[in-house]
Amino acid sequence: YISLHTADPGDTGLNELPATNGYARASHTTSTGWNAVSGGSTSNSTSITFNAASGGDWAEAQYFGIWNDLSSALVANFVAYGPLASNITCTDGDAVQFLGSASGALTITVT
């Protein structure tokens, strides 16, 4: 699951966007949804799409996170995070999407 964060989430997933105006983590499978790792990097091979904002805008996102579960309850483990290349503001009626192509993908590099 992919999350969006208003500030550095640290090692525990802090600063996730509030679960208001339609925001929820986006599901993305690990078995077929990612390109092969090359040079310590991978990117999504299919689109990652969040719910559309509804009832108002979301807070500005500066980071993404990766979780093993949709819930923010104790069963969810925060796996990794990183800064977004540019901040994202999702306005009412729009949806955030990381395209499954080189120009619009979420690229993750482990160093």
Side-chain angles (χ1 to χ4, degrees):
Y1 292 87
I2 307 300
S3 58
L4 298 173
H5 300 261
T6 58
D8 188 332
D11 293 335
T12 59
L14 296 173
N15 303 312
E16 186 170 359
L17 269 62
T20 57
N21 299 331
Y23 171 78
R25 293 177 189 157
S27 176
H28 198 68
T29 179
T30 57
S31 60
T32 60
W34 298 94
N35 293 309
V37 175
S38 175
S41 292
T42 188
S43 60
N44 53 299
S45 59
T46 58
S47 293
I48 300 170
T49 305
F50 288 82
N51 296 329
S54 176
D57 299 347
W58 294 353
E60 182 180 75
Q62 299 177 8
Y63 286 79
F64 72 92
I66 300 173
W67 300 79
N68 71 334
D69 195 85
L70 177 63
S71 172
S72 59
L74 297 177
V75 296
N77 295 302
F78 191 58
V79 178
Y81 71 95
L84 296 168
S86 59
N87 295 350
I88 297 171
T89 300
C90 186
T91 57
D92 192 13
D94 290 335
V96 172
Q97 185 175 51
F98 296 104
L99 302 174
S101 63
S103 62
L106 179 64
T107 301
I108 300 168
T109 304
V110 178
T111 55

